Amino acid sequence: MKGLLLRLSALDPDAASAVRVIAHFEALLRGGALDPGMLARSTAGLAECPAGVELPDGRIVRHGPDGAALAGAPERVSGEAVPGDAGRVWLERPGGPGPFDDLVLEWMAIAARLLGGPPRSAEPPHVADPALVELVLSEREAVEDRARALRLLGLSPDRALRVVAVTVTLEAGERSGPADAGVEAVALLGRGALAGAVRVARVGRLGVVLVQPRDGGLSPAGELRTVLGERAALRESARAVRVGVGGAAEPMAAGVSWAQARSALRFAGAGGTDEALVDHDELGPVALLSRIPVEDLRAEPDVRALADLAGREGGALGLAALAAFCRTGSLRQAAAGLHLHHSSVAARLAHVEDALSWRLHEPQGRFRAQLALYALRLSADVED
């Protein structure tokens, strides 16, 4: 691990820092029974600032970066996360949050949920050399070169491979750093959710994951949706991560799965966990929409109407309700997926109907709305 981190520091300092955080907590969780004091003390040393844990019974445990216990409640909290139905974890960094505090808090919350439970056995994800990953994905390079890159990555040339593309919506004013898609891909897979060989890298502005499942090539979409749901529950302020999953392909044809992953990513939205990940295998003939030129999509009246609605006050919330309703066909299921009361979702849908003159209770109206939502997402450029 030490040698890997030294190499990553030269290739991608942000990814190296993310792996260092994940490796720290994985080692902590594998070390045996974990208690609140150990968690707070260890996190404070990692983050180089005071850290605290509030247990479900209201007890507070705090430690400083020097390992010393701190008394009482914190005077200032720079960031926090809720590990479950009760309790919380936090950092007390002077001067505002650090660049990787969100990732530290996420893993601290995971550890807090497992206090007193059995140790984990998962390993941190393998962050790969981006040049080797790009070589595997290329369809222009010689087969011999791609096969060599696969071997160097520790992947088998004889087992089906899938490619996953990850992107993240930057917060206002951010340009790089912890919001980088490669780092988010590392964080997404850091819990050992996928069985099999997993390699993570950054290619352009996208995080790329090469997966060789042990189960013969079945899609990892289900496991990834579970992880996205856990992340959303633990981090209320989490950035909008979107994921596209490509189909199974022979390793020498990994570029096909890569193209499918990027196509699926264009269909993904930021309206909730169910919208954030799209599996190309599940799209069926809908995937053909991605072949329509972006200019034609943007010129479509329904797409323009949705884009206009999205720009109004509360418009994004209305589109999230519309997407959930089109996906489930049920007001109550849509409300459950958005964690809202069904009356709130009904009010948002009524606003959408008034603005667009659609009748969503009719099958034709929902079909038209779903196509327009897909077209709106496809009309946005995805940097790669």
Side-chain angles (χ1 to χ4, degrees):
M1 175 61 68
K2 190 173 184 180
L4 172 63
L5 289 173
L6 287 173
R7 188 177 181 201
L8 283 173
S9 295
L11 291 172
D12 191 339
D14 283 345
S17 298
V19 171
R20 188 176 288 109
V21 170
I22 294 169
H24 173 91
F25 282 101
E26 288 284 2
L28 186 67
L29 292 171
R30 288 199 304 268
L34 181 65
D35 61 64
M38 186 186 305
L39 175 58
R41 184 169 56 251
S42 173
T43 304
L46 173 69
E48 300 182 347
C49 71
V53 178
E54 181 178 355
L55 301 172
D57 61 9
R59 285 184 296 142
I60 291 178
V61 180
R62 299 170 60 223
H63 280 268
D66 58 356
L70 303 175
E75 295 182 2
R76 183 182 184 283
V77 172
S78 59
E80 65 178 32
V82 179
D85 295 334
R88 62 175 179 142
V89 297
W90 65 85
L91 297 176
E92 306 169 34
R93 189 181 300 283
F100 285 89
D101 282 4
D102 277 351
L103 185 58
V104 171
L105 285 166
E106 178 186 350
W107 275 85
M108 192 181 183
I110 293 170
R113 287 200 304 171
L114 300 174
L115 285 174
R120 283 168 50 93
S121 59
E123 295 292 336
H126 182 136
V127 179
D129 184 336
L132 291 176
V133 173
E134 287 191 72
L135 187 56
V136 170
L137 298 178
S138 174
E139 296 181 316
R140 298 188 302 269
E141 304 297 333
V143 172
E144 296 80 5
D145 293 335
R146 281 181 273 164
R148 180 174 178 274
L150 279 166
R151 290 194 298 271
L152 291 174
L153 289 169
L155 299 175
S156 170
D158 302 317
R159 202 162 77 241
L161 177 148
R162 284 179 183 265
V163 183
V164 179
V166 180
T167 190
V168 60
T169 301
L170 299 176
E171 295 176 343
E174 286 187 313
R175 297 182 63 85
S176 61
D180 176 80
V183 174
E184 289 291 346
V186 171
L188 180 67
L189 296 162
R191 303 176 189 179
L194 303 183
V198 179
R199 303 294 181 262
V200 187
R202 181 181 65 190
V203 174
R205 300 295 293 178
L206 297 180
V208 181
V209 186
L210 304 180
V211 185
Q212 279 194 327
R214 297 171 185 161
D215 50 20
L218 294 179
S219 174
E223 291 86 348
L224 292 175
R225 284 193 180 101
T226 298
V227 174
L228 284 171
E230 290 176 352
R231 284 165 60 86
L234 291 174
R235 293 168 59 192
E236 294 181 359
S237 62
R239 296 177 178 90
V241 176
R242 294 183 293 123
V243 181
V245 180
E250 294 299 318
M252 292 300 104
V256 174
S257 185
W258 173 227
Q260 292 175 347
R262 286 180 293 162
S263 176
L265 185 63
R266 295 180 62 199
F267 285 90
T273 301
D274 291 323
E275 301 291 333
L277 182 145
V278 174
D279 186 347
H280 190 273
D281 286 352
E282 298 173 357
L283 285 173
V286 172
L288 297 174
L289 293 174
S290 64
R291 301 182 184 180
I292 300 175
V294 170
E295 295 77 12
D296 292 347
L297 293 169
R298 291 173 178 168
E300 166 59 38
D302 282 355
V303 175
R304 293 204 308 269
L306 281 180
D308 178 66
L309 178 62
R312 302 178 195 174
E313 183 177 356
L317 299 176
L319 290 192
L322 178 63
F325 182 68
C326 287
R327 185 183 67 254
T328 64
S330 163
L331 188 62
R332 292 188 179 275
Q333 289 183 33
L338 295 171
H339 305 290
L340 295 172
H341 192 274
H342 64 87
S343 61
S344 297
V345 175
R348 293 179 183 180
L349 291 177
H351 178 68
V352 172
E353 286 186 320
D354 291 341
L356 303 178
S357 300
W358 293 347
R359 293 297 170 257
L360 298 175
H361 66 280
E362 299 174 356
Q364 181 62 28
R366 290 196 301 275
F367 178 72
R368 178 179 176 180
Q370 183 66 79
L371 282 181
L373 282 168
Y374 281 145
L376 179 65
R377 294 173 186 174
L378 292 169
S379 68
D381 289 328
V382 177
E383 289 186 89
D384 57 8

